[in-house]
Amino acid sequence: MGRTLPGQVVLVLQGGGALGSYQAGVYQALHEAGIAPDWVIGTSIGAINASLIAGNTLQDRLPRLREFWKRMEQRPIFSFAGGFPGFSDQLSYWSTVANGIPGFFKPNLLAHAGADFPLGAEQAGYYSTEPLKQTLGELVDFDLVNSGGPRLTVGAAHVRSSMMRYFDSRDCSLGVKHVMASGALPPAFPAVRIDGELYWDGGILSNTPTEVVFDDNPRKDSLIFAVNMWNPSGPEPTTMAEVLNRQKDVQYSSRIASQIVRQQQAHRLRHIIGELAARIPESERNSDAVRELAGYGCKTRMHLVRLLAPQLDRETHTKDIDFSPSGIMQRWHAGHAHTKAVLDRSPWVGEFDPLSGVILHDQIEIMPAAAE
């Protein structure tokens, strides 16, 4: 549509269970604006959404996202929406805990046979994610993922070493197991074995995989849409319900603010090195020592647009398993509205400090809290 973009478009998706419907709304707004990501990076539910985007043709991506989230809806048998606000959502929550989500996970009854019952490494979880394996097999074309379309990267935690591992379609062939490993959150879900090693949900180590873009080699000018579901800022909690809610936000927002500051400092130093190298006399510039030092410089620029899912009315610490139709719809609409507002402003267009390598365009406290 003639929109000017400052480099490759990267979509970075946090983990957050049911909150991931917000990410689908973000993608819808990008799609409607004619912006197709060149690279999609995700952890947990972010990895699932990322695979649905990278593993489908341009015209099929939005329908497949809609189909997936339609399958995720938890509809209780009885509804009390009229006289008891929020009660239907509570029924949806307890139905999810007791029965799982068809197409995602189902109870593993053997997990209740005792804490020391020998389940086996790949079955040790309160739920089985076999339904998710079937869903991804139906909705994601991994041949397409591995054929050089949008680059896909998913993060998982190596169980034995506690090291983060990013599986990247640029470097290896990805399949359904890689996505499932990225979403294998213990103790709810069992670990997934890949190449003989067990992996858990990457969110337990780093739930905000923006670092992958900053550390990529070679670095490229980028427009990064970082879609966050957990609020890094919030008021002091005064009740136990508020404590539980705030604790999850703090835990899963992954210290994103300090990470951004660190990356801004590092990229500014890379730009400074480049400027200093240009001032060295040409007669010395080609020496091995100077060339090696100058190699630490970099003049790429990254515009980081941070989008944040809103806190809904009556939201609690169980929000990440709020698969109620109303919760999914509200967050999807909010992601769509927030992203449209950012695209209308296009804050990456203009003049910027030439020494700035990472420029943050923060949606927090600027956008409306939710869509109409």
Side-chain angles (χ1 to χ4, degrees):
M1 295 185 179
R3 190 183 296 270
T4 300
L5 303 174
Q8 67 173 345
V9 176
V10 185
L11 188 57
V12 178
L13 307 176
Q14 266 191 350
L19 306 181
S21 59
Y22 178 84
Q23 299 171 342
V26 170
Y27 177 78
Q28 179 185 354
L30 295 175
H31 179 82
E32 291 171 349
I35 299 174
D38 301 293
W39 184 8
V40 194
I41 305 167
T43 299
S44 197
I45 193 66
I48 293 173
N49 281 330
S51 71
L52 289 162
I53 294 168
N56 281 287
T57 60
L58 186 60
Q59 63 268 26
D60 287 338
R61 291 172 189 170
L62 194 53
R64 289 297 172 85
L65 280 168
R66 291 191 186 281
E67 172 64 20
F68 174 81
W69 284 101
K70 193 67 177 176
R71 295 190 189 190
M72 295 303 105
E73 290 183 358
Q74 180 62 273
R75 295 180 178 271
I77 297 175
F78 303 103
S79 177
F80 298 88
F84 303 92
F87 191 69
S88 287
D89 291 347
Q90 282 299 308
L91 280 178
S92 175
Y93 162 73
W94 285 113
S95 181
T96 299
V97 171
N99 304 313
I101 298 286
F104 195 167
F105 57 92
K106 62 183 180 181
N108 177 14
L109 298 180
L110 286 178
H112 301 281
D116 296 320
F117 187 83
L119 294 167
E122 295 171 73
Q123 285 78 41
Y126 288 114
Y127 299 90
S128 166
T129 53
E130 279 299 309
L132 177 61
K133 182 178 181 180
Q134 181 175 342
T135 297
L136 292 175
E138 293 173 2
L139 299 181
V140 179
D141 182 349
F142 284 97
D143 288 336
L144 187 60
V145 168
N146 297 310
S147 67
R151 180 178 171 189
L152 174 63
T153 304
V154 299
H158 187 218
V159 174
R160 286 194 307 107
S161 68
S162 302
M163 296 291 291
M164 192 70 178
R165 170 79 183 272
Y166 288 104
F167 296 99
D168 194 323
S169 65
R170 184 186 65 177
D171 305 322
C172 66
S173 180
L174 298 188
V176 66
K177 279 196 169 185
H178 298 89
V179 179
M180 293 182 64
S182 184
L185 182 65
F189 302 149
V192 175
R193 193 176 299 279
I194 299 173
D195 297 331
E197 297 291 338
L198 285 178
Y199 291 90
W200 272 330
D201 189 310
I204 64 177
L205 290 178
S206 179
N207 199 40
T208 309
T210 316
E211 62 199 39
V212 179
V213 191
F214 295 137
D215 296 336
D216 195 34
N217 186 23
R219 283 181 290 273
K220 297 180 181 179
D221 289 340
S222 302
L223 173 57
I224 307 164
F225 292 94
V227 188
N228 301 343
M229 278 93 73
W230 305 95
N231 200 329
S233 303
E236 296 180 352
T238 59
T239 67
M240 289 311 299
E242 291 174 353
V243 167
L244 292 170
N245 197 17
R246 185 72 197 124
Q247 180 264 333
K248 268 195 173 179
D249 277 337
V250 171
Q251 179 179 357
Y252 289 115
S253 61
S254 300
R255 303 182 301 280
I256 184 60
S258 60
Q259 288 181 14
I260 291 172
V261 170
R262 180 178 66 85
Q263 292 294 344
Q264 286 175 320
Q265 294 170 339
H267 278 258
R268 186 175 184 86
L269 287 174
R270 291 188 179 106
H271 278 224
I272 290 172
I273 290 171
E275 290 291 323
L276 291 174
R279 296 173 183 268
I280 295 176
E282 191 172 350
S283 58
E284 301 178 27
R285 200 178 301 162
N286 291 324
S287 69
D288 291 341
V290 171
R291 286 167 65 90
E292 180 181 356
L293 294 172
Y296 289 95
C298 178
K299 292 191 175 182
T300 58
R301 173 166 289 161
M302 300 186 182
H303 290 268
L304 177 61
V305 179
R306 186 164 58 147
L307 297 157
L308 178 65
Q311 180 166 319
L312 305 183
D313 292 340
R314 300 185 302 274
E315 190 171 87
T316 71
H317 69 285
T318 65
K319 56 192 174 185
D320 51 331
I321 55 172
D322 174 21
F323 288 94
S324 64
S326 63
I328 289 174
M329 178 189 67
Q330 288 181 72
R331 292 187 175 95
W332 185 305
H333 287 174
H336 184 256
H338 289 177
T339 308
K340 281 187 66 176
V342 165
L343 294 175
D344 288 343
R345 291 202 344 265
S346 296
W348 49 85
V349 176
E351 297 294 327
F352 300 94
D353 181 353
L355 295 181
S356 295
V358 177
I359 302 169
L360 175 63
H361 307 291
D362 207 340
Q363 164 259 334
I364 298 175
E365 304 299 339
I366 298 175
M367 299 297 160
E372 295 181 359

